[in-house]
Amino acid sequence: MSDIDAIRDRYLEQIDAASDGDALEEIRLATLGKKGEISLLLKTLGQMTPEERQEQGPKINGARQAVADALTNRKDAMETAALDAKLATEKLDLTLPAPSAPKGSIHPVSQVMDELAEIFADLGFSVATGPEIEDDWHNFTALNIPDTHPARAMHDTFYFPQTDDIGMPKLLRTHTSPVQIRTMMDVARQTEGAGEPIYIIAPGRTYRSDSDATHTPMFHQVEGLVIDKGIHMGHLKWTLETFLGAYFERDDIELRLRPSYFPFTEPSAEVDLGFSVENGRRIIGGDPHGPNGGWMELLGSGMVHPNVIRNCGLDPDVWQGFAFGCGIDRLAMLKYGMDDLRAFFDGDLRWADHYGFNALDVPTLSGGVGA
């Protein structure tokens, strides 16, 4: 017993005298480590008789527990003393600004989609969506696009080897017009052909085999559709003027409608947006007729062709409407000053930091859709 007590007391004195954590670790290994002195004493219990084990076991275990407790207490005391010293010498200036933390941003395309939804919601439109993998009927045939139309060619449309129920190939939609078709067909089905007014926009991704500074194989498009009674081209022009004025936040927006051809509208019109050049910069609005003014083609539009209305199960003698479509990426480029569409999809964080939007800058008409 005196030997075990002596070993215990010797190590307790060393623990009290330890100056740092490294010294404590050396003592722990020397006593409680795999080859430590007290650990070796514990191993001798197996060689003792039951009577010796009953006598010596509590003594050796008591010494082990005393050393372990002392090590823990001494380590806690050291850590507390180190923290007290740090608190006594270090100061934190709470008036300094907090360090900036990494943060993401809203992509300009997503921001513009939110702006469009806000503007058209104020005009009574709702947002409609549809599948990006389409069939020939919804993407072409229902839109009065003939079988020989160039848009159906492989060089312009991404086709899948799979086919639909009638053997026509599946494809990536080339525009969001199929959303208009699906919406009109849903209304015709729900009203058993009687019909009801439709006011929707259809923003989303579209796909065409094209790639340069202003075209990419995947791009974003928004289309609008109005189906109601007594609708005419005047309603279309007013809607576009109101939309573009709110989007560009200008009161002097001027449009020029040029006759054109689209299979799904009749009459059809290309819509040009007036601009002026001020201090070497092109500005949306101003006087497009002056020496520093001009026109840029922005979107296509027209009155929905009677065949399209009829294909969707509605009566074109009762229901008329207009439709328009524009590239969301192009709208973003014009408003926020980008000149290369390919940068939208490069994933360059420097570009995203420069052109991105704060997640809390939600577009509102009262606060400015470009906030």
Side-chain angles (χ1 to χ4, degrees):
M1 177 63 184
S2 58
D3 293 338
I4 296 174
D5 289 344
I7 293 171
R8 180 199 61 200
D9 293 342
R10 172 161 48 88
Y11 284 117
L12 291 178
E13 291 177 1
Q14 294 179 15
I15 291 171
D16 288 338
S19 58
D20 53 35
D22 292 339
L24 283 179
E25 180 63 14
E26 291 180 4
I27 297 171
R28 188 190 69 78
L29 292 174
T31 54
L32 307 179
K34 188 175 181 180
K35 296 183 179 180
E37 190 169 0
I38 296 179
S39 297
L40 293 176
L41 286 175
L42 287 171
K43 291 180 180 179
T44 63
L45 292 175
Q47 303 170 3
M48 298 180 183
T49 64
E51 292 77 11
E52 292 174 331
R53 190 181 304 115
Q54 186 176 6
E55 180 181 355
Q56 298 297 325
K59 301 176 183 177
I60 298 174
N61 278 306
R64 181 191 63 79
Q65 190 62 48
V67 170
D69 290 345
L71 286 169
T72 300
N73 294 335
R74 180 61 174 154
K75 181 180 180 181
D76 292 344
M78 286 182 175
E79 292 176 349
T80 300
L83 178 60
D84 291 341
K86 186 175 183 180
L87 293 175
T89 57
E90 293 185 3
K91 294 182 179 180
L92 179 64
D93 189 350
L94 297 178
T95 64
L96 292 175
S100 60
K103 61 179 182 180
S105 60
I106 302 298
H107 195 281
V109 169
S110 299
Q111 180 76 7
V112 171
M113 283 189 177
D114 288 343
E115 294 177 12
L116 297 177
E118 178 69 19
I119 293 169
F120 279 102
D122 192 60
L123 297 176
F125 287 66
S126 59
V127 175
T129 59
E132 295 178 21
I133 297 178
E134 269 295 358
D135 55 43
D136 183 87
W137 164 262
H138 291 92
N139 198 81
F140 293 125
T141 305
L143 288 160
N144 201 40
I145 298 177
D147 293 341
T148 56
H149 196 281
R152 292 176 179 262
M154 286 290 293
H155 68 267
D156 196 49
T157 302
F158 293 105
Y159 285 97
F160 290 96
Q162 296 86 359
T163 59
D164 58 20
D165 296 337
I166 60 174
M168 297 300 292
K170 290 279 192 176
L171 52 93
L172 290 174
R173 66 183 183 187
T174 58
H175 43 194
T176 56
S177 300
V179 178
Q180 301 181 29
I181 297 299
R182 292 179 179 276
T183 301
M184 285 190 283
M185 292 179 68
D186 287 343
V187 168
R189 183 167 50 251
Q190 293 166 7
T191 62
E192 298 182 349
E196 62 183 25
I198 300 172
Y199 291 78
I200 64 164
I201 60 169
R205 287 184 290 266
T206 54
Y207 306 85
R208 295 178 191 173
S209 183
D210 204 355
S211 181
D212 56 41
T214 57
H215 298 84
T216 54
M218 187 277 284
F219 58 101
H220 300 83
Q221 189 179 58
V222 61
E223 295 191 13
L225 173 69
V226 168
I227 296 294
D228 209 333
K229 297 178 180 178
I231 297 297
H232 52 72
M233 288 288 287
H235 296 126
L236 168 62
K237 188 171 185 293
W238 179 88
T239 300
L240 294 178
E241 287 176 340
T242 304
F243 149 53
L244 293 171
Y247 176 72
F248 288 107
E249 301 180 69
R250 302 276 300 199
D251 295 327
D252 54 354
I253 293 294
E254 187 171 345
L255 301 183
R256 182 178 68 179
L257 274 64
R258 290 181 289 108
S260 185
Y261 166 76
F262 302 112
F264 31 81
T265 52
E266 180 61 37
S268 303
E270 297 280 3
V271 180
D272 298 334
L273 179 63
F275 69 89
S276 58
V277 178
E278 301 176 8
N279 299 321
R281 294 181 57 195
R282 185 172 63 181
I283 305 298
I284 302 299
D287 182 12
H289 307 281
N292 295 323
W295 301 92
M296 68 177 78
E297 181 182 319
L298 184 61
L299 53 87
S301 65
M303 300 299 294
V304 180
H305 199 291
N307 288 346
V308 175
I309 297 176
R310 189 178 294 109
N311 289 338
C312 295
L314 299 175
D315 186 351
D317 293 329
V318 176
W319 300 99
Q320 303 82 43
F322 63 77
F324 59 88
C326 182
I328 294 177
D329 313 286
R330 177 163 171 74
L331 288 173
M333 293 172 71
L334 287 174
K335 184 172 183 178
Y336 296 114
M338 303 92 159
D339 56 6
D340 193 331
L341 182 59
R342 292 168 294 191
F344 280 55
F345 311 103
D346 285 343
D348 190 328
L349 290 179
R350 297 168 299 178
W351 186 92
D353 288 340
H354 180 74
Y355 289 109
F357 291 80
N358 189 302
L360 299 179
D361 291 338
V362 179
T364 62
L365 291 178
S366 60
V369 292

